[in-house]
Amino acid sequence: MTQVFLAGIGNSGPTHWQSHWFGAAERAHWVEHSDWDNVACATWIAELDAALRSIKGPKVLIAHSLACLLVAEWGKQHSDPDVLGAFLVSVPDPSGPQFPKEAVGFSSPLESRLPAPAIMVASANDPYGSLPYAQRVAAHWGIELVNIGEKGHINAKSELGEWKEGKHLFDHFVGSLRNSRG
C-alpha cells in the first residue's frame, strides 16, 4: 500500500511529522503543488488527481491541515477505488478567523462527504480549528475523532518529532482498513 502524503499550505518542512513518516515509509509518494503559498483549491484538486492517477495499486492518504479540506474537495469531483482510506490531521475551519487568506476556493467540509473511510486527529487548542468544530465535522463525515490533547496545530511548531502517538494511530487505522477488505 502506498502512503500518499498531502501537506498543507507552505508544505511540511524537515521537522514536521509528515516528513519523518515519509522518510521512513516503504512505499510513499509526496504530492507536490505548483504553489505552496498562494493556494487555489481547483489547482490543488487537479494536482492531487494527477498524482493519484500516477500511483498504481492501493493507497492511503495522510493529510495535514489544508490538505484535509483538499481530500474532501477532491472527493466531490473525483474518485479512485484504490484510495482505501484517509488519515486526517488538524482539519482547519475555512470560515474561522485564522484560516489563511492565501487559500481560496475551499468550502465548508460540512458540505461534502469523504471519498473513503477516514479517521480524524485533532488537538484541543488548534488555532485553525476548534475542537467543537472538529467534532461537528467528524460527526458529519461519520468518522472517528481522536483528541490528542493540547498539541496546537499538530505541526512542526508542536515539536512532536516523529510523533509516535500519531504513527500508532495511523498503523491501527491501516490495520482496520486491511481487516475490512478481508
Side-chain angles (χ1 to χ4, degrees):
M1 179 180 313
T2 301
Q3 296 177 21
V4 181
F5 289 84
L6 308 168
I9 195 166
N11 205 348
S12 294
T15 61
H16 195 288
W17 60 267
Q18 280 187 313
S19 297
H20 289 285
W21 291 12
F22 178 77
E26 240 177 79
R27 293 186 58 189
H29 181 91
W30 194 278
V31 175
E32 291 291 342
H33 294 291
S34 55
D35 193 336
W36 285 101
D37 299 315
N38 297 293
V39 180
C41 182
T43 302
W44 272 31
I45 289 170
E47 291 167 344
L48 171 56
D49 192 58
L52 291 175
R53 284 187 283 113
S54 74
I55 303 166
K56 302 301 176 210
K59 48 203 145 216
V60 63
L61 309 179
I62 303 170
H64 178 257
S65 191
L66 187 61
C68 298
L69 299 180
L70 174 62
V71 170
E73 295 284 353
W74 174 84
K76 288 180 187 177
Q77 303 170 27
H78 303 279
S79 66
D80 180 341
D82 288 334
V83 173
L84 304 181
F87 187 76
L88 308 172
V89 179
S90 296
V91 177
D93 182 350
S95 61
Q98 297 298 319
F99 192 77
K101 308 266 185 276
E102 302 82 10
V104 295
F106 291 87
S107 61
S108 169
L110 297 175
E111 298 173 12
S112 62
R113 304 290 296 162
L114 290 176
I119 185 172
M120 182 191 302
V121 180
S123 165
N125 64 340
D126 188 337
Y128 296 99
S130 70
L131 188 56
Y133 167 79
Q135 291 166 333
R136 282 192 311 276
V137 173
H140 173 76
W141 282 340
I143 63 174
E144 179 184 0
L145 170 69
V146 178
N147 172 3
I148 62 165
E150 295 188 354
K151 302 288 187 198
H153 194 50
I154 314 176
N155 58 6
K157 289 180 184 175
S158 300
E159 298 180 348
L160 299 171
E162 295 174 10
W163 191 33
K164 292 179 183 178
E165 175 188 13
K167 186 68 167 78
H168 175 75
L169 290 168
F170 174 74
D171 290 342
H172 180 74
F173 174 64
V174 168
S176 71
L177 293 174
R178 287 187 174 127
N179 289 339
S180 69
R181 295 183 74 210

